[in-house]
Amino acid sequence: MVYYPQVAYCENYLWEQHINHAIYEQVRALISLQVGNLPSTVDEMLGFYEIKNNQRQLLSLSLSNYTYHKQAAHGMTYIKSLTFDFEKEQICQLRDLFIPGADYVQRLSELVELQIIQRDIPLLENFPGIRPDQDFYIADKSLVIYFQLYEITPYVVGLPMFPISVFDLTDIIDEQSPLSRMAVNN
């Protein structure tokens, strides 16, 4: 079973359709990633979602898909997130949250690496830093950077998630971005 949300009652019906289409396409991509052209039989597939933020004209959600293939050593989970800025009516990419030209990749990489050290997280190899299009979601006053299974850590670690306070990023956050709205204390 695969569950996913639908947005309803937006002021702009076309924007609502765009959001729901983006969610549907992301769910389809996760299913395809799990099944694709693999020769093995799927014994179990579970898809869920979590609303990470739904305030201040921002909707950030994660979609997860767990699949177990027949005779596999273990199941595999993938997570993808979508962040919608209702003020600008756009789907946010990581770069959209920061001042143009700001080296957000370097800053976020340093903050993630610090957490790896502090939390003593085992890595498969040296931490390469984040990608410019790294997976993320926004949860209240945190930007959460995350990695897929086996991307940087062994399977036993699970999906490594790194919450970063918006207050640690205020100097590089674009004032017009939804992340800026999260940095307001009220």
Side-chain angles (χ1 to χ4, degrees), residues 77 121 147-161:
T77 300
I121 297 173
F147 296 85
Q148 302 299 323
L149 292 173
Y150 295 118
E151 191 173 353
I152 63 169
T153 58
Y155 183 86
V156 70
V157 172
L159 293 147
M161 307 222 173

Side-chain angles (χ1 to χ4, degrees), residues 8-182:
Y9 308 113
C10 286
E11 291 178 16
N12 180 337
Y13 180 71
L14 292 176
W15 171 234
E16 179 181 304
Q17 284 185 313
H18 183 70
I19 292 169
N20 288 326
H21 181 74
I23 292 169
Y24 176 75
E25 287 301 318
Q26 188 63 262
V27 169
R28 282 187 45 174
L30 282 168
I31 292 170
S32 179
L33 182 64
Q34 292 280 36
V35 178
N37 294 323
L38 298 175
S40 62
T41 303
V42 171
D43 273 356
E44 181 179 26
M45 179 178 286
L46 300 170
F48 296 99
Y49 68 92
E50 288 183 49
I51 305 298
K52 300 298 187 174
N53 192 83
N54 188 15
Q55 62 178 330
R56 300 181 187 190
Q57 297 294 302
L58 173 77
L59 172 64
S60 194
L61 56 90
S62 67
L63 304 162
S64 64
N65 185 294
Y66 167 84
T67 302
Y68 178 77
H69 290 265
K70 187 174 185 136
Q71 298 181 339
H74 55 73
M76 189 67 176
T77 300
Y78 289 99
I79 294 180
K80 287 294 183 179
S81 301
L82 293 166
T83 298
F84 302 97
D85 183 346
F86 281 76
E87 212 170 82
K88 292 183 180 178
E89 294 187 348
Q90 73 176 30
I91 299 173
C92 296
Q93 304 300 316
L94 188 57
R95 70 178 174 271
D96 299 331
L97 305 176
F98 301 100
I99 298 167
D103 195 355
Y104 70 92
V105 172
Q106 178 66 30
R107 173 71 75 78
L108 294 174
S109 294
E110 290 168 357
L111 293 168
V112 167
E113 188 165 30
L114 182 62
Q115 286 190 42
I116 289 169
I117 293 165
Q118 290 172 337
R119 293 164 48 192
D120 197 25
I121 297 173
L123 299 175
L124 293 172
E125 51 191 47
N126 289 337
F127 179 61
I130 71 158
R131 299 181 319 275
D133 64 343
Q134 189 67 47
D135 291 319
F136 78 96
Y137 59 82
I138 297 172
D140 195 25
K141 297 195 179 296
S142 294
L143 171 67
V144 180
I145 300 294
Y146 66 92
F147 296 85
Q148 302 299 323
L149 292 173
Y150 295 118
E151 191 173 353
I152 63 169
T153 58
Y155 183 86
V156 70
V157 172
L159 293 147
M161 307 222 173
F162 302 93
I164 299 168
S165 170
V166 294
F167 301 109
D168 292 339
L169 303 169
T170 54
D171 61 315
I172 62 170
I173 293 174
D174 185 334
E175 289 181 15
Q176 303 303 312
S177 83
L179 200 56
S180 178
R181 294 194 294 271
M182 297 298 110

